[in-house]
Amino acid sequence: MADRVQEILSWYSSDNAGTKTNIARLLRHGKLAGTGKLVILPVDQGFEHGPARSFASNPGGYNPLYHFQLAIDAGCNAYAAPLGFLEAGAAEFAGRIPLILKLNNHDVLHDEKDPLPSVTGSVNDALRLGCSAVGFTIYPGSSHCNTMYQQLREIAEKAKDCGLAVVVWSYPRGSELSKEGETAIDVVAYAAQIAAQLGAHVIKVKLPTAHLEQAAAKKVYESAKIPIATLAERVRHVVQSSFDGRRIVIFSGGAKSEDANVFEEARAIREGGGFGSIIGRNSFQRPKAEAMKFLNTIMGIYAGEIQ
Amino acid sequence: MADRVQEILSWYSSDNAGTKTNIARLLRHGKLAGTGKLVILPVDQGFEHGPARSFASNPGGYNPLYHFQLAIDAGCNAYAAPLGFLEAGAAEFAGRIPLILKLNNHDVLHDEKDPLPSVTGSVNDALRLGCSAVGFTIYPGSSHCNTMYQQLREIAEKAKDCGLAVVVWSYPRGSELSKEGETAIDVVAYAAQIAAQLGAHVIKVKLPTAHLEQAAAKKVYESAKIPIATLAERVRHVVQSSFDGRRIVIFSGGAKSEDANVFEEARAIREGGGFGSIIGRNSFQRPKAEAMKFLNTIMGIYAGEIQ
Amino acid sequence: MADRVQEILSWYSSDNAGTKTNIARLLRHGKLAGTGKLVILPVDQGFEHGPARSFASNPGGYNPLYHFQLAIDAGCNAYAAPLGFLEAGAAEFAGRIPLILKLNNHDVLHDEKDPLPSVTGSVNDALRLGCSAVGFTIYPGSSHCNTMYQQLREIAEKAKDCGLAVVVWSYPRGSELSKEGETAIDVVAYAAQIAAQLGAHVIKVKLPTAHLEQAAAKKVYESAKIPIATLAERVRHVVQSSFDGRRIVIFSGGAKSEDANVFEEARAIREGGGFGSIIGRNSFQRPKAEAMKFLNTIMGIYAGEIQ
Amino acid sequence: MADRVQEILSWYSSDNAGTKTNIARLLRHGKLAGTGKLVILPVDQGFEHGPARSFASNPGGYNPLYHFQLAIDAGCNAYAAPLGFLEAGAAEFAGRIPLILKLNNHDVLHDEKDPLPSVTGSVNDALRLGCSAVGFTIYPGSSHCNTMYQQLREIAEKAKDCGLAVVVWSYPRGSELSKEGETAIDVVAYAAQIAAQLGAHVIKVKLPTAHLEQAAAKKVYESAKIPIATLAERVRHVVQSSFDGRRIVIFSGGAKSEDANVFEEARAIREGGGFGSIIGRNSFQRPKAEAMKFLNTIMGIYAGEIQ
Amino acid sequence: MADRVQEILSWYSSDNAGTKTNIARLLRHGKLAGTGKLVILPVDQGFEHGPARSFASNPGGYNPLYHFQLAIDAGCNAYAAPLGFLEAGAAEFAGRIPLILKLNNHDVLHDEKDPLPSVTGSVNDALRLGCSAVGFTIYPGSSHCNTMYQQLREIAEKAKDCGLAVVVWSYPRGSELSKEGETAIDVVAYAAQIAAQLGAHVIKVKLPTAHLEQAAAKKVYESAKIPIATLAERVRHVVQSSFDGRRIVIFSGGAKSEDANVFEEARAIREGGGFGSIIGRNSFQRPKAEAMKFLNTIMGIYAGEIQ
């Protein structure tokens, strides 16, 4: 399986050895090490939704150390969180799991139709905390997209210069998009393309629906008969839209949901050529034993051990 | 009791020795030295409310030296003030009490529903004045929260690099919050979480009420039956929301009030696992002898000498 | 023919040897090497219009390597693309074709009457990817023109200092211009002049119509009897408006169109003294064999081999 | 009298020797040298009101050299002016009088209810011109107060680092203040406090009236029975509001006025413990001989030679 | 006549030797060398009005080399133009005429009642092109005046540090000024004063009319009986308003006009003590032979050879 990692690294031929090393760290850690698949544990809900909404259902999660341990014990490829959560455990867990420092965040004490998260950390913070990558969220479709793209540009340039990998959360949202449009297949594929063009090494998007949002795109999807009927087909199209599969694209699990649904989605991601999942609320919002079992199943699906 | 300080320092494992030293200075100074509890004297009302409203009731306070001496004589852990007040006494009182330079301030000659304080000092100012920490106020809920979070991010990165501690005043306020919502338990707990995620070493919030402001949070508090009926329970929830108690959280005394109330509140803070108080107007707006007695009682409660 | 390149380089007498070398690289590469004519392949539609609208008609184009190969095989002078597309192949194709890194881009998930693209790359990115030039789009007529001109100013100063060439896409657009006015001859000539005054080495504009947009200009065109009836005359006027032909001016092919039209336009560009074309959608949105033939004809026209 | 200067310098104990030297230069120059009192000649009206309104009544003042000579001959402590006026004479009069470079200015060709002056010089300019201090105007109450406070913060930090003194003009003005409120005693005292907290060494305010502008302040002034009936009492309150007299506070002469009034005001300033005056229009807008006599009387009042 | 240059240089006593050298270069070049008078050729109309409106009447002017040659052949003191025009000839004409790089420019594809030009070059650009001065336009009266003054402040500080001279075009314009007010004598004199206070070495204004725009100024002009009836008197007042004649003030020729008028104006400028003219459209928009004759007459008037 090591060859698969080398193959993936070959797509990042213009990056320096440091960045290649850190991409490799993500791909060579945990249960899916070497498979080219990733399951990442992200915990930014404390900032994004508030502590009680995030941790009351499984109060162990109020403690930042809990999530390091969960990610390690479940065999995730990496653990991603904002500055405070990583500062609170980076030394205790030094070298035990690749870390991704999320560099921008948004709270809902003040919300806006056209979101613009705050930059809450720096590349230097990521370096001093021993992280393998920085994470950054863009909201294509927001009237503030210029600001976010340019913040990302600057961060990504510095991160690459310092040998870090760049993970981009690309979530369409804004006053010109319908609610349904935020997960429309044309919009999600476009969001993946934008992240790739901005220089992301790893792209994270939401699972797309078969809805087509933009009239000019709809015409092309229909005339070119792009297959988007099944979730696997849509995943395949998003992967294709990410430099024909030459960028790592992973999908978010979204809000807490029936396990069967999540497993079904993981199978579609696998079948469509996706590279894995970021699974937050579905893992840390349940008792640890259940979370371990749940994540184990997901990883089994990606590893091809579970059909 | 020294062990308690070491235990608290262990939560800041990713900080450098300089920052650990300065956190320790706050915890090892004054009457509460070594207990893990803090009572800090803050005097920024001259800037925030104007000189007469702040000092006319006890005119000694017009003089900046008064407050250094009060904080020292009362055995406070630290003294916090804006640039001018610290510049006016930092050399005279060099090394006699840990200082916290408040780096942003706001006046009421021009007020706004969505506040944005001015940055009125720098990390370099804190260093040249011999301070142990910088202080910064954020107003989660303000439409300017992005600006404040990003100012804090930059200041905190530099302060940590220079071995200073970072104290964050986190006061929800803004056009989308009701007046009652500013001290609602869900909102205060969220504000503490945001400060923690932004990398604060010490977090200061207001004492919360049992009100629940945000609908999505209310649902969780009710379904998870989070205990918030008593003040001590609410303090405990705020402490839990600050990385499960792994960040120092202190509470403000608020406007001048009956002493009995303040003592009652201090007992609730102690009982709920809070780390102490910031007490400004209730101390410097009365004659010094009375203030000494008043602060002595508060410290006695925190030290467990007074029940 | 080498003399023609030397003649062109003589117009850039204030540039350093590095920049002259890179302008020469553009002029001495591909089928038109040494003729003083250029055909450049630009592929930024993935960002500007989305992936399906750009690549579904010829799915090979989803792959960034496809375009490097197409530009090389067709004998283009250079290949221009945003950061992600160049990062994805710059090492594989190192030294095989001059590259132009497009430093700003715009997507249509959020569109505005007065466009302001995002800066999505830097001069340092261009250097680390081995590019010969940076590309930048300005929209004269936009209410954001100040921002764009000043971004370009800063980028161009740094690029020239680092020995790179500067290619400017100058596309009039904005709330005060009519749709017809965006390609009006007075407006296009003005846009070329602005790019030249801002220090562009290579200017790219759209083919102009005979429409006259601005009243004050119309008066002059009519009184001075400036010939603008034929496309060749209009090209000649745009070239004259670019420092009397002492700047390289190339024209865009625009949306996919009948081949005969494009060939006719190339003849007019040649006849009017234009320096060539940037041809994106008309080349990469058709099967490669057809694209090669198509580009071969265009180059034949510019080389004077085809009448 | 030298002891008085040493006493004043002792209030600035956290400043470096360079800044102490420059404060001392202001206090040890001219007729009032060593008394702890200051009369400063400011000439910024050319910028603020236009040349004819400033100089037509005494046309010698069009010439920048005139004001240097007037300040020297009249025995003022210092001369303050914008960049152009100081550049025009700083070399001719090198070392003959302490100079204060006013670093922001405002003109009335474009006026606004909430003023924001332009920054028109730098600390480096002050250094290269041999100045002892920089001057900066803030308008507390303006909606732009954040910008001004932050400009001042940055300038003051640099000035102190370079051993210069910082003089702050603090003039309440803005859309939320009534015209009467701009000189209300509560507002002027607050403005002095803000300047002191921002780190000013010398504070300049207008002479306050007995009006009380802000309801919350009015309540305190009345309940605490702060004496504000006479001008001397109001001056004393402003001095008290400036760190209990531990900052140099001087008062502006305002528009041209009857000499008897100005002398009466000077007596009130002296009686109230004020440190002196900035007198512009009342001095340079009359013939030099008259101005000399006028300033001589003012200085005599401050020196206690004239009752 | 050399004494006159030394006398003028003496007014710039606080500038370094480099800046004095470059002011001297302007004053010692061309037909008026040594007279203390200047005629400068400015060609920024290509940017400001578009190419056809600027050059169609004399098509040689499309070529940037034309203007260098015209300025040299006519014996102008200097040639001023934006970045592109200077880059296109600075090496060919190296050392043959002092150059002024205009650092900001504005186009009319997007126009605004309150103008804010774009910064289109830098002090470094001026240095690498061998210029003697930088030029910068301010629009006092524009709501964007703060931005322009602060851009100028930064540019002027750097230019002076690098030994360049600073030429300021000061053109009142903005929503609060009437059309007539833009050239009113009170407004033009004020604009000259602002430029001088901002540190300009050479000030360029429009010829003023006898109109008085601002009520407060009108009162003073009338009560002080400032003579403004004739153009020569108004020129004299503008010169007086520029530090009593201790700054070089030159006047613009404005739109193309009858030669007799322009000569009459030059006589008034001479009679009023003005230092010369900037003459663009009246010189390069006619055949070169005519332009030479025209400029020769102007220079003859300034030299006192023609009455």
Side-chain angles (χ1 to χ4, degrees), chain A residues 13-14 146 149-150 160 190 197, chain C residues 47 84 87 92 107 118-119:
Chain A
S13 57
S14 63
N146 262 23
Y149 295 173
Q150 296 184 175
K160 290 172 186 176
Y190 197 166
Q197 293 286 13
Chain C
F47 202 121
E87 285 187 326
E92 280 89 337
D107 68 82
S118 302
V119 176

Side-chain angles (χ1 to χ4, degrees), chain B residues 268-284:
Chain B
I269 293 166
R270 181 187 64 190
E271 189 184 335
F275 293 74
S277 298
I278 274 205
I279 299 181
R281 282 173 282 175
N282 275 299
S283 52
F284 70 76

Side-chain angles (χ1 to χ4, degrees), chain D residues 263-277:
Chain D
F263 299 152
E264 205 49 45
E265 288 171 358
R267 283 186 196 96
I269 293 167
R270 183 187 63 189
E271 190 185 336
F275 293 73
S277 299

Side-chain angles (χ1 to χ4, degrees), chain A residues 10-15 114 140-147 149-150 153 156-157 160 172 175-177 186-187 189-191 193-194 196-201 214 216-218 220-221 224 226 237 240-247, chain C residues 43-57 59-60 62-65 81-92 103 105-112 116-125 128-129 151:
Chain A
S10 77
W11 307 334
Y12 300 93
S13 57
S14 63
D15 278 298
D114 288 275
S142 168
S143 61
H144 300 295
C145 64
N146 262 23
T147 303
Y149 295 173
Q150 296 184 175
R153 190 209 70 67
E157 183 178 353
K160 290 172 186 176
S175 49
E176 284 176 38
L177 290 175
D186 60 323
V187 170
Y190 197 166
Q193 167 79 203
I194 288 171
Q197 293 286 13
L198 289 169
H201 299 111
Q214 297 203 302
K218 193 170 198 285
V220 169
Y221 278 84
I226 301 176
H237 178 62
Q240 184 184 41
S241 296
S242 305
F243 293 1
D244 210 19
R246 297 175 70 87
R247 286 293 173 265
Chain C
V43 190
D44 57 0
Q45 285 76 10
F47 202 121
E48 305 274 333
H49 300 155
R53 283 175 61 191
S54 303
F55 307 125
S57 64
Y62 282 109
N63 190 327
L65 306 183
L83 184 68
F85 251 29
L86 288 199
E87 285 187 326
E92 280 89 337
L103 291 188
N105 284 98
H106 179 258
D107 68 82
V108 294
L109 289 177
H110 179 75
D111 212 355
E112 287 166 338
L116 173 63
S118 302
V119 176
T120 59
S122 71
V123 171
N124 281 343
D125 286 324
R128 73 176 169 88
L129 294 172
Q151 289 168 336

